mmCIF file of all heavy atoms in Angstrom:
data_model
loop_
_atom_site.group_PDB
_atom_site.id
_atom_site.type_symbol
_atom_site.label_atom_id
_atom_site.label_comp_id
_atom_site.label_asym_id
_atom_site.label_seq_id
_atom_site.Cartn_x
_atom_site.Cartn_y
_atom_site.Cartn_z
ATOM 1 N N PRO A 60 13.077 19.379 -17.562
ATOM 2 C CA PRO A 60 12.838 19.934 -18.903
ATOM 3 C C PRO A 60 13.363 21.360 -18.991
ATOM 4 O O PRO A 60 13.595 22.025 -17.966
ATOM 5 C CB PRO A 60 11.312 19.898 -19.020
ATOM 6 C CG PRO A 60 10.841 20.086 -17.612
ATOM 7 C CD PRO A 60 11.852 19.370 -16.751
ATOM 8 N N ASP A 61 13.541 21.839 -20.212
ATOM 9 C CA ASP A 61 14.086 23.180 -20.413
ATOM 10 C C ASP A 61 13.224 24.268 -19.769
ATOM 11 O O ASP A 61 13.737 25.313 -19.363
ATOM 12 C CB ASP A 61 14.244 23.471 -21.901
ATOM 13 C CG ASP A 61 15.360 22.677 -22.542
ATOM 14 O OD1 ASP A 61 16.231 22.172 -21.809
ATOM 15 O OD2 ASP A 61 15.360 22.569 -23.780
ATOM 16 N N SER A 62 11.922 24.038 -19.656
ATOM 17 C CA SER A 62 11.020 25.052 -19.143
ATOM 18 C C SER A 62 11.275 25.426 -17.688
ATOM 19 O O SER A 62 10.888 26.511 -17.259
ATOM 20 C CB SER A 62 9.568 24.599 -19.304
ATOM 21 O OG SER A 62 9.338 23.385 -18.612
ATOM 22 N N VAL A 63 11.926 24.535 -16.920
ATOM 23 C CA VAL A 63 12.152 24.811 -15.502
ATOM 24 C C VAL A 63 13.622 24.785 -15.111
ATOM 25 O O VAL A 63 13.949 25.113 -13.962
ATOM 26 C CB VAL A 63 11.371 23.839 -14.593
ATOM 27 C CG1 VAL A 63 9.894 23.816 -14.973
ATOM 28 C CG2 VAL A 63 11.967 22.433 -14.637
ATOM 29 N N LYS A 64 14.512 24.430 -16.023
ATOM 30 C CA LYS A 64 15.936 24.377 -15.702
ATOM 31 C C LYS A 64 16.434 25.719 -15.184
ATOM 32 O O LYS A 64 16.143 26.763 -15.749
ATOM 33 C CB LYS A 64 16.754 23.972 -16.928
ATOM 34 C CG LYS A 64 16.727 22.492 -17.232
ATOM 35 C CD LYS A 64 17.602 22.163 -18.436
ATOM 36 C CE LYS A 64 17.574 20.682 -18.750
ATOM 37 N NZ LYS A 64 18.363 20.360 -19.958
ATOM 38 N N GLY A 65 17.183 25.668 -14.086
ATOM 39 C CA GLY A 65 17.704 26.876 -13.471
ATOM 40 C C GLY A 65 16.760 27.535 -12.500
ATOM 41 O O GLY A 65 17.180 28.440 -11.764
ATOM 42 N N ARG A 66 15.492 27.125 -12.472
ATOM 43 C CA ARG A 66 14.504 27.689 -11.558
ATOM 44 C C ARG A 66 14.026 26.693 -10.510
ATOM 45 O O ARG A 66 13.768 27.076 -9.368
ATOM 46 C CB ARG A 66 13.296 28.222 -12.329
ATOM 47 C CG ARG A 66 13.637 29.326 -13.333
ATOM 48 C CD ARG A 66 12.372 29.972 -13.894
ATOM 49 N NE ARG A 66 11.540 29.017 -14.616
ATOM 50 C CZ ARG A 66 10.287 28.718 -14.286
ATOM 51 N NH1 ARG A 66 9.708 29.304 -13.247
ATOM 52 N NH2 ARG A 66 9.600 27.844 -15.009
ATOM 53 N N PHE A 67 13.869 25.434 -10.902
ATOM 54 C CA PHE A 67 13.354 24.398 -10.008
ATOM 55 C C PHE A 67 14.475 23.438 -9.624
ATOM 56 O O PHE A 67 15.361 23.143 -10.442
ATOM 57 C CB PHE A 67 12.247 23.591 -10.681
ATOM 58 C CG PHE A 67 10.957 24.330 -10.919
ATOM 59 C CD1 PHE A 67 10.856 25.698 -10.735
ATOM 60 C CD2 PHE A 67 9.835 23.630 -11.339
ATOM 61 C CE1 PHE A 67 9.669 26.376 -10.961
ATOM 62 C CE2 PHE A 67 8.639 24.291 -11.566
ATOM 63 C CZ PHE A 67 8.553 25.664 -11.381
ATOM 64 N N THR A 68 14.410 22.918 -8.403
ATOM 65 C CA THR A 68 15.362 21.935 -7.916
ATOM 66 C C THR A 68 14.623 20.826 -7.182
ATOM 67 O O THR A 68 13.808 21.107 -6.301
ATOM 68 C CB THR A 68 16.399 22.562 -6.972
ATOM 69 O OG1 THR A 68 17.071 23.639 -7.626
ATOM 70 C CG2 THR A 68 17.426 21.518 -6.541
ATOM 71 N N ILE A 69 14.899 19.583 -7.547
ATOM 72 C CA ILE A 69 14.353 18.442 -6.832
ATOM 73 C C ILE A 69 15.448 17.859 -5.937
ATOM 74 O O ILE A 69 16.609 17.771 -6.338
ATOM 75 C CB ILE A 69 13.803 17.374 -7.808
ATOM 76 C CG1 ILE A 69 13.086 16.255 -7.044
ATOM 77 C CG2 ILE A 69 14.884 16.825 -8.715
ATOM 78 C CD1 ILE A 69 12.327 15.287 -7.951
ATOM 79 N N PHE A 70 15.078 17.500 -4.708
ATOM 80 C CA PHE A 70 16.012 16.850 -3.812
ATOM 81 C C PHE A 70 15.245 15.950 -2.859
ATOM 82 O O PHE A 70 14.030 16.079 -2.711
ATOM 83 C CB PHE A 70 16.897 17.857 -3.059
ATOM 84 C CG PHE A 70 16.151 18.844 -2.196
ATOM 85 C CD1 PHE A 70 16.058 18.652 -0.829
ATOM 86 C CD2 PHE A 70 15.575 19.975 -2.747
ATOM 87 C CE1 PHE A 70 15.392 19.573 -0.024
ATOM 88 C CE2 PHE A 70 14.900 20.894 -1.954
ATOM 89 C CZ PHE A 70 14.810 20.685 -0.590
ATOM 90 N N ARG A 71 15.961 15.037 -2.219
ATOM 91 C CA ARG A 71 15.315 14.049 -1.367
ATOM 92 C C ARG A 71 16.013 13.935 -0.027
ATOM 93 O O ARG A 71 17.214 14.196 0.096
ATOM 94 C CB ARG A 71 15.286 12.681 -2.073
ATOM 95 C CG ARG A 71 16.658 12.067 -2.309
ATOM 96 C CD ARG A 71 16.592 10.949 -3.353
ATOM 97 N NE ARG A 71 15.760 9.840 -2.921
ATOM 98 C CZ ARG A 71 15.207 8.951 -3.738
ATOM 99 N NH1 ARG A 71 15.392 9.051 -5.059
ATOM 100 N NH2 ARG A 71 14.460 7.966 -3.246
#
Side-chain angles (χ1 to χ4, degrees):
D61 289 342
S62 59
V63 307
K64 282 182 180 177
R66 300 189 298 120
F67 291 10
T68 304
I69 187 171
F70 60 100
R71 65 197 297 159

